[in-house]
Amino acid sequence: MGTPAGQVRRRRAPGMTEVARAAGVSQKTVSRVVNGEPHVSPEVRDRVLRAIEELDYRPNNAARALFLGRYRRIGVVSLGTALYGPSTLLFALERAMQRTGYSFALAGTLEGQRVSVAVEALLEQGVDGIVLSEPIDDGTPLALSADVPVVSLGESAQLAHGAGVVVGADGAAAARVATEHLLSLGHRTVWHIPGPQNWFAARDRLRGWREALAAAGAPEPPPAAAGDWSPASGHAAGRQLARLSDVTAVFAANDDMAIGALRAFAEAGRSVPGDVSVVGYDDIPAAAYISPPLTTVRHDTEALADHAVDVLIAMIEGRPAPTEHTGLAVELTVRDSTGPVRSRTT
């Protein structure tokens, strides 16, 4: 018999029973996987997740929040930028949350919008915790009183004790590695093209550059005008540095600015690495394919995201947080943009 006119028969959405049957496990096991609980073997977890995907199962978040007192959702405050470093970190955070069974909610800090406004928007949506990704200094202290745990990937926020921690990559350490590499090649000193100084990441890289020079007893030249992370700003700084005959080594605060500087040196007839060695930061995909291929440093973004999410979830679930990193590994990739200082003839 057909469906009466004006009525549409809806197929009932699959429930936990169907997922359990498809995966060959109990409903309790499905519940454990959905809620990210321990004591489920990787093989069983993968089987359940495959069944969830195949059946397009959607847990009822509202009901689960009432039952567990949690939403199983983490909010991320992001700069809303397409820059390689922040966007790569954002993707890594999303993957880390999916791995642990938490969903992902995003609030961007658009031009002129404060971090506190983005935090309030996430709290209104319903989140169990918040990650502040690459926060910048907007000129006012950020003191958060959110009633959920917060992990900041920068030093900007004043977080309540026990409710927030700072977990971040050590940009100063990476800058020291970059600067030390250039000094080890015989360069008397290293010049720096800094990033925008309202970014804590740029300040860290400036500090690491200074620390490496001081430790080596090398003179500290004045840094070039701060760029905005773009190749154009690196090109402008490179044009300034190309006019100085004693510039033989440059560390740029990111790869895009380093690429701009490479173009400026080429236009000025300064060969790289014959006359000037250049190191960038981030190891963007293009770094290996420009001319000359760029020497650069990077942190393990995946490891940073995994650790930040693990710490936050432990706080959410009332478990001891994982041991803090003693420092994420810094990887220096040496390519053709750096070489020994050229001996000068008189």
Side-chain angles (χ1 to χ4, degrees):
M1 187 174 181
T3 302
Q7 294 184 16
V8 176
R9 180 176 295 172
R10 293 184 178 180
R11 184 176 67 86
R12 186 177 69 86
M16 195 174 290
T17 302
E18 286 79 8
V19 173
R21 185 181 302 119
V25 298
S26 67
Q27 291 187 47
K28 178 62 176 175
T29 299
V30 174
S31 176
R32 284 175 174 164
V33 172
V34 167
N35 292 310
E37 296 178 12
H39 314 305
V40 179
S41 72
E43 186 271 332
V44 169
R45 187 180 302 276
D46 288 345
R47 210 160 71 224
V48 171
L49 291 174
R50 280 198 304 271
I52 287 173
E53 183 176 1
E54 290 169 0
L55 294 172
D56 196 24
Y57 169 63
R58 299 268 194 287
N60 186 322
N61 283 337
R64 186 166 56 189
L66 287 172
F67 180 70
L68 296 175
R70 295 198 298 268
Y71 294 92
R72 302 294 299 179
R73 183 164 56 235
I74 292 173
V76 177
V77 177
S78 171
L79 291 170
T81 173
L83 289 168
Y84 178 81
S87 61
T88 301
L89 179 56
L90 191 61
F91 286 128
L93 286 167
E94 185 172 12
R95 284 193 294 268
M97 291 173 198
Q98 290 173 344
R99 169 182 59 80
T100 56
Y102 278 74
S103 62
F104 177 90
L106 180 64
T109 53
L110 304 176
E111 193 68 33
Q113 179 170 295
R114 298 192 184 283
V115 172
S116 57
V117 175
V119 168
E120 284 300 320
L122 290 171
L123 293 174
E124 289 175 5
Q125 292 181 46
V127 295
D128 301 314
I130 292 174
V131 176
L132 303 180
S133 177
E134 294 272 10
I136 63 173
D137 186 356
D138 63 8
T140 58
L142 176 59
L144 294 181
S145 57
D147 56 358
V148 298
V150 177
V151 165
S152 176
L153 299 183
E155 300 291 339
S156 65
Q158 299 173 16
L159 303 173
H161 180 68
V165 297
V166 175
V167 176
D170 188 351
R176 288 194 297 270
V177 168
T179 306
E180 289 163 359
H181 167 66
L182 291 165
L183 293 173
S184 73
L185 295 172
H187 296 278
R188 184 180 71 90
T189 190
V190 177
W191 294 70
H192 182 46
I193 301 176
Q197 291 302 290
N198 61 332
W199 286 61
F200 294 94
R203 294 180 190 175
D204 285 346
R205 294 167 203 184
L206 178 67
R207 175 167 56 87
W209 165 71
R210 285 178 167 149
E211 290 172 352
L213 293 179
E220 180 187 314
D228 60 6
W229 302 122
S230 70
S233 66
H235 181 263
R239 290 181 62 186
Q240 295 176 354
L241 296 177
R243 300 188 189 107
L244 306 177
S245 60
D246 59 341
V247 173
T248 66
V250 175
F251 163 52
N254 79 334
D255 288 346
D256 282 335
M257 292 194 300
I259 290 170
L262 289 177
R263 175 63 181 267
F265 291 132
E267 291 171 348
R270 303 285 298 276
S271 68
V272 176
D275 297 319
V276 184
S277 288
V278 178
V279 177
Y281 190 116
D282 277 335
D283 198 14
I284 64 175
Y289 301 99
I290 61 175
S291 183
L294 181 66
T295 295
T296 184
V297 290
R298 65 180 291 270
H299 279 109
D300 188 340
T301 303
E302 295 283 348
L304 171 61
D306 286 345
H307 181 62
V309 171
D310 287 346
V311 168
L312 183 60
I313 291 176
M315 296 167 65
I316 290 169
E317 298 180 352
R319 296 183 282 105
T323 305
E324 289 289 336
H325 277 290
T326 55
L328 290 168
V330 175
E331 299 176 18
L332 172 69
T333 301
V334 179
R335 300 191 179 102
D336 295 344
S337 68
T338 55
V341 65
R342 177 181 290 177
S343 58
R344 296 179 180 270
T345 56
T346 56

